[in-house]
Amino acid sequence: MDATLVRTDVDGAVVTLTLDSPANRNALSRRLLAELDAALVAAAERPGTRVVVLAATGRVFCAGADLSEAAGGSMEETTAAIVGLQRRLLTLPVPVLARVQGPVRAGGLGLVAAADVVVASTQATFALTEVRLGLAPLAVSLTVLPRLTDRAAAWAALGGEVFDAATATSWGLVTTVVDADDLDAEVGWRADVLAQGDSQGQRETKALLVADLVARIDAEGADVARRSATLFGSDAAQAAMAAFLERGRGRNS
């Protein structure tokens, strides 16, 4: 049986869920999305869970949608799952703390934006690269764009340029940025602080904080998922993704 793509580790009140698919840079494949959703449900249902830490193995935190699945195949299931996963993170009854050790691209920003607290390493970078592949950041728009200032959102989404963790912090996407050597200590300290809150207080306070984002997903999520899947299936996007994958094969040969 293949190894799980999402690893669960428990340390007292803190449950760490680690994306463990470094071969494809922790891309959001259908399988990884399903496993992460199930792991989040299990973590929330576990007695004693007070904080969930979302982490990743390897150099890259998350490369976004799995383009090898997107090239030539329907993305309706995947885009709906990406929207649903963001809602799951937002509505989890305990705080979610993202530990971002490296690059985050496209759909991966949805995981970051849906977390309650984000600690990023100076080695982390971010980019909404969809525009360069004939796509738009539709599936993550309902969490990512509200986190950013209007001007930052326009530049990030229309330009597709990479921005660093310090910029992500100033734009509102990241809570704090620390040196790579200090990442675990910072995550540990913040997880300990979050775990000290009363469970009812945490649940109700989180619901208050994310209410607008959840309402946006409930009102518009199905539509943006459908529109995103349509763009993935377009001739322009299919050609751009095929060229991107071919360049990747060339670099690895």
Side-chain angles (χ1 to χ4, degrees):
M1 182 177 178
D2 293 337
T4 181
L5 300 183
V6 178
R7 190 174 70 248
T8 299
D9 298 287
V10 178
D11 183 8
V14 180
V15 177
T16 300
L17 304 180
T18 304
L19 309 184
D20 195 12
S21 184
N24 68 350
R25 303 188 303 160
N26 297 312
L28 300 175
S29 63
R30 287 185 288 272
R31 182 179 158 203
L32 186 144
L33 287 164
E35 289 190 14
L36 180 54
D37 188 66
L40 287 165
V41 172
E45 292 178 345
R46 171 187 170 271
T49 298
R50 303 302 300 280
V51 182
V52 169
V53 173
L54 182 61
T57 59
R59 188 184 68 83
V60 176
F61 180 81
C62 180
D66 189 337
L67 297 187
S68 64
E69 290 184 349
S74 171
M75 286 291 282
E76 290 184 6
E77 178 184 343
T78 299
T79 56
I82 291 173
V83 171
L85 184 59
Q86 292 168 91
R87 192 184 192 282
R88 179 77 70 193
L89 289 162
L90 290 168
T91 59
L92 214 67
V94 298
V96 176
L97 191 166
R99 176 193 182 276
V100 183
Q101 90 290 4
V104 189
R105 298 291 181 266
L109 270 72
L111 303 184
V112 174
D116 302 294
V117 178
V118 181
V119 179
S121 162
T122 50
Q123 296 180 359
T125 59
F126 305 82
L128 290 169
T129 52
E130 290 92 341
V131 70
R132 300 189 178 186
L133 294 174
L135 304 167
L138 282 158
V140 298
S141 63
L142 302 180
T143 57
V144 174
L145 300 187
R147 297 290 194 193
L148 305 176
T149 65
D150 289 345
R151 291 302 185 190
W155 174 247
L158 290 171
E161 277 291 284
V162 173
F163 52 98
D164 62 20
T167 300
T169 304
S170 70
W171 285 354
L173 184 65
V174 168
T175 305
T176 191
V177 55
V178 296
D179 289 338
D181 291 342
D182 298 326
L183 183 60
D184 286 331
E186 183 73 16
V187 168
W189 171 74
R190 288 182 181 266
D192 287 343
V193 171
L194 291 170
Q196 293 173 24
D198 175 80
S199 58
Q200 176 175 280
Q202 292 279 28
R203 182 183 68 248
E204 296 302 320
T205 301
K206 174 169 177 173
L208 177 69
L209 293 169
V210 303
D212 288 346
L213 294 177
V214 174
R216 287 168 65 95
I217 289 178
D218 288 345
E220 304 174 41
D223 180 59
V224 298
R226 178 189 57 78
R227 290 163 58 197
S228 181
T230 298
L231 279 182
F232 269 108
S234 68
D235 291 343
Q238 286 292 312
M241 288 186 292
F244 178 86
L245 291 170
E246 184 60 33
R247 290 195 298 271
R249 284 190 287 268
R251 288 194 296 268
N252 294 328
S253 61

PDB file of all heavy atoms in Angstrom, residues 47 141 143 162 197 236 245 247:
ATOM      1  N   PRO A  47     -10.204  13.896  21.174  1.00  0.00           N
ATOM      2  CA  PRO A  47     -10.298  14.572  22.466  1.00  0.00           C
ATOM      3  C   PRO A  47      -8.946  15.160  22.876  1.00  0.00           C
ATOM      4  O   PRO A  47      -7.910  14.514  22.753  1.00  0.00           O
ATOM      5  CB  PRO A  47     -10.713  13.446  23.427  1.00  0.00           C
ATOM      6  CG  PRO A  47     -11.340  12.412  22.553  1.00  0.00           C
ATOM      7  CD  PRO A  47     -10.592  12.474  21.257  1.00  0.00           C
ATOM      8  N   SER A 141      -9.540  32.410  -4.344  1.00  0.00           N
ATOM      9  CA  SER A 141      -9.796  33.849  -4.280  1.00  0.00           C
ATOM     10  C   SER A 141     -10.586  34.259  -3.040  1.00  0.00           C
ATOM     11  O   SER A 141     -10.399  35.363  -2.522  1.00  0.00           O
ATOM     12  CB  SER A 141     -10.571  34.295  -5.533  1.00  0.00           C
ATOM     13  OG  SER A 141     -11.851  33.662  -5.602  1.00  0.00           O
ATOM     14  N   THR A 143     -10.421  33.280  -0.034  1.00  0.00           N
ATOM     15  CA  THR A 143      -9.630  33.426   1.191  1.00  0.00           C
ATOM     16  C   THR A 143      -8.398  34.303   0.968  1.00  0.00           C
ATOM     17  O   THR A 143      -8.069  35.132   1.804  1.00  0.00           O
ATOM     18  CB  THR A 143      -9.164  32.064   1.742  1.00  0.00           C
ATOM     19  OG1 THR A 143      -8.406  31.371   0.744  1.00  0.00           O
ATOM     20  CG2 THR A 143     -10.340  31.222   2.182  1.00  0.00           C
ATOM     21  N   VAL A 162       6.839  36.545  -7.961  1.00  0.00           N
ATOM     22  CA  VAL A 162       7.179  35.969  -6.661  1.00  0.00           C
ATOM     23  C   VAL A 162       7.404  37.090  -5.655  1.00  0.00           C
ATOM     24  O   VAL A 162       8.039  38.095  -5.968  1.00  0.00           O
ATOM     25  CB  VAL A 162       8.439  35.097  -6.778  1.00  0.00           C
ATOM     26  CG1 VAL A 162       8.907  34.619  -5.402  1.00  0.00           C
ATOM     27  CG2 VAL A 162       8.190  33.905  -7.703  1.00  0.00           C
ATOM     28  N   GLY A 197      -5.811  28.810  25.426  1.00  0.00           N
ATOM     29  CA  GLY A 197      -7.169  29.349  25.398  1.00  0.00           C
ATOM     30  C   GLY A 197      -8.202  28.296  25.777  1.00  0.00           C
ATOM     31  O   GLY A 197      -8.031  27.113  25.496  1.00  0.00           O
ATOM     32  N   ALA A 236      -6.204  27.311 -24.116  1.00  0.00           N
ATOM     33  CA  ALA A 236      -5.061  28.148 -23.740  1.00  0.00           C
ATOM     34  C   ALA A 236      -4.358  27.597 -22.506  1.00  0.00           C
ATOM     35  O   ALA A 236      -3.120  27.507 -22.461  1.00  0.00           O
ATOM     36  CB  ALA A 236      -5.530  29.584 -23.488  1.00  0.00           C
ATOM     37  N   LEU A 245       4.984  21.675 -18.117  1.00  0.00           N
ATOM     38  CA  LEU A 245       5.405  20.328 -17.736  1.00  0.00           C
ATOM     39  C   LEU A 245       6.565  19.843 -18.593  1.00  0.00           C
ATOM     40  O   LEU A 245       7.466  19.162 -18.103  1.00  0.00           O
ATOM     41  CB  LEU A 245       4.219  19.370 -17.852  1.00  0.00           C
ATOM     42  CG  LEU A 245       3.093  19.582 -16.828  1.00  0.00           C
ATOM     43  CD1 LEU A 245       1.878  18.749 -17.199  1.00  0.00           C
ATOM     44  CD2 LEU A 245       3.571  19.239 -15.420  1.00  0.00           C
ATOM     45  N   ARG A 247       8.898  21.764 -19.940  1.00  0.00           N
ATOM     46  CA  ARG A 247      10.098  22.444 -19.446  1.00  0.00           C
ATOM     47  C   ARG A 247      10.613  21.751 -18.183  1.00  0.00           C
ATOM     48  O   ARG A 247      11.823  21.601 -17.993  1.00  0.00           O
ATOM     49  CB  ARG A 247       9.800  23.919 -19.162  1.00  0.00           C
ATOM     50  CG  ARG A 247       9.572  24.752 -20.396  1.00  0.00           C
ATOM     51  CD  ARG A 247       9.638  26.246 -20.075  1.00  0.00           C
ATOM     52  NE  ARG A 247       8.608  26.660 -19.136  1.00  0.00           N
ATOM     53  CZ  ARG A 247       7.400  27.059 -19.474  1.00  0.00           C
ATOM     54  NH1 ARG A 247       7.032  27.064 -20.750  1.00  0.00           N
ATOM     55  NH2 ARG A 247       6.523  27.453 -18.552  1.00  0.00           N
TER      56      ARG A 247
END
